[in-house]
Amino acid sequence: MIAALAGAAVTALVLPVLVAAGPAGAQSAQAAPQATRTDPVSALKRQFRAHHGVKLAETAKLIGEGKGQRTVYARTRGVLEFDRTGVTATDLTSKFDLPSDAGETGDLFTASRTITVKGVSYISGGVFSDALPEGKKWLRDRDNTLTLLNPAQKLLNPLEPATLKATLAHTTAKRPGGTWDGARTVVHSGTITLGELYRISPTVRTLLGKKPSAKAAPLPVSWQLYIGSDQLVRRVVSSYTQSIRGLTSVDVVYLNDSRYSDWGAKSAIKAPPASQVADFDELRIGDKEAEEAYVQLFNG
């Protein structure tokens, strides 16, 4: 079973193929004057100031259904920095918790730190860390290929105003959500389809790579948004189930729990020193090793 789930985890790295095939400074935000508090989308846009941002603590799970199920955890912590249009830079550290019998597959999911600035990502650690040239600590990922290698990539990004607005329009229930990041929250919950998320969300379009098929577009993504009294999002829980039968014998549930804190925190994320950065063509691996790494990453 773990072999099947591990395969599912790697298969999730090429989610576009599977989905297409079928369903499955300034004042802090908490101290903002009451007069400036309106709706969640307006509150979010007011946070879009250069060198300010928000902290993220995220847990993602990939869960195999049925007898002998296994769970793969991905834990991400870090800072998201804004400019006037939205997120412009990130500094995130990711760790993976795999079942004890994951075997060699676990080598694909080693801890890593990723800094993204102006659309270019730099990765320290991870699967290629041992192949970096001497004196180099970071691998430059110009196409953001490796930054998508999360086995439970979230589909709902609440830091996109259009995505947040469309999601809240599908609210079917509200209830008290407790206190998060020092703010009392109300939970808004509902579902939104993969097709609508693809239409409105740059994150989802990047993740999927192409428009989902007519069969896949209705895939429901369930969500819960915890919104504070200042109208800022403090927590997002989203999940969906994807059938990959034929590749494995199970359906897989993807569950993402993202928590946002310290809205308005000052931030100054910079790219690593150029002297410590290497590109893919500088990696010290032979043709055979490179081919095996590619097969492991993209074909399972």
Side-chain angles (χ1 to χ4, degrees):
M1 178 59 207
I2 182 56
L5 184 57
V10 178
T11 302
L13 308 184
V14 285
L15 181 62
V17 176
L18 297 181
V19 169
Q27 280 185 311
S28 68
Q30 291 181 351
Q34 182 69 31
T36 66
R37 298 176 183 174
T38 53
D39 63 280
V41 175
S42 297
L44 172 63
K45 289 181 177 180
R46 282 197 298 273
Q47 297 301 308
F48 293 168
R49 298 171 292 160
H51 304 302
H52 291 77
V54 64
K55 294 180 181 178
L56 171 69
E58 180 176 285
T59 300
K61 298 181 182 180
L62 177 71
I63 307 169
E65 291 185 320
K67 185 178 180 181
Q69 69 179 19
R70 295 290 189 273
T71 302
V72 176
Y73 292 88
R75 305 180 191 275
T76 301
R77 302 289 185 273
V79 178
L80 310 173
E81 184 177 317
F82 301 128
D83 63 8
R84 290 183 298 175
T85 62
V87 177
T88 186
T90 63
D91 186 348
L92 302 172
T93 298
S94 297
K95 297 181 180 180
F96 297 91
D97 295 335
L98 305 178
S100 58
D101 54 352
E104 294 183 0
T105 304
D107 294 339
L108 294 176
F109 303 114
T110 56
S112 64
R113 179 185 176 191
T114 302
I115 294 176
T116 302
V117 179
K118 296 181 179 179
V120 178
S121 294
Y122 306 84
I123 300 97
S124 177
V127 66
F128 290 115
S129 59
D130 292 338
L132 288 170
E134 185 175 354
K136 305 291 185 178
K137 299 180 180 180
W138 299 85
L139 176 63
R140 180 164 28 219
D141 182 17
R142 296 183 185 276
D143 298 324
N144 290 323
T145 302
L146 296 182
T147 58
L148 295 178
L149 299 187
N150 181 333
Q153 190 75 236
K154 67 181 175 185
L155 291 180
L156 186 60
N157 185 351
L159 302 186
E160 297 169 347
T163 301
L164 180 59
K165 180 179 180 179
T167 300
L168 287 171
H170 290 276
T171 299
T172 57
K174 297 180 183 180
R175 62 176 175 81
T179 300
W180 297 91
D181 186 36
R184 287 177 176 260
T185 65
V186 174
V187 182
H188 300 239
S189 60
T191 61
I192 189 170
T193 66
L194 179 66
E196 184 166 0
L197 282 174
Y198 181 87
R199 180 176 60 83
I200 62 176
S201 173
T203 295
V204 173
R205 288 195 293 272
T206 298
L207 177 62
L208 299 187
K210 60 180 179 181
K211 185 177 181 179
S213 67
K215 191 176 181 180
L219 176 73
V221 178
S222 301
W223 56 267
Q224 294 179 328
L225 285 168
Y226 292 66
I227 298 177
S229 55
D230 56 5
Q231 298 301 298
L232 291 171
V233 174
R234 292 315 201 284
R235 183 184 182 192
V236 180
V237 180
S238 61
S239 65
Y240 62 98
T241 300
Q242 184 177 23
S243 175
I244 53 177
R245 295 180 183 275
L247 294 172
T248 73
S249 60
V250 298
D251 291 343
V252 176
V253 176
Y254 300 80
L255 176 66
N256 190 283
D257 188 340
S258 300
R259 305 178 187 190
Y260 300 87
S261 62
D262 286 358
W263 283 93
K266 290 185 178 181
S267 177
I269 299 173
K270 298 180 180 179
S275 61
Q276 298 179 9
V277 175
D279 290 303
F280 278 102
D281 57 5
E282 299 178 68
L283 294 177
R284 299 181 301 177
I285 54 178
D287 292 340
K288 182 178 180 180
E289 291 171 302
E291 182 178 352
E292 289 177 348
Y294 181 88
V295 170
Q296 280 188 304
L297 283 171
F298 296 105
N299 296 330

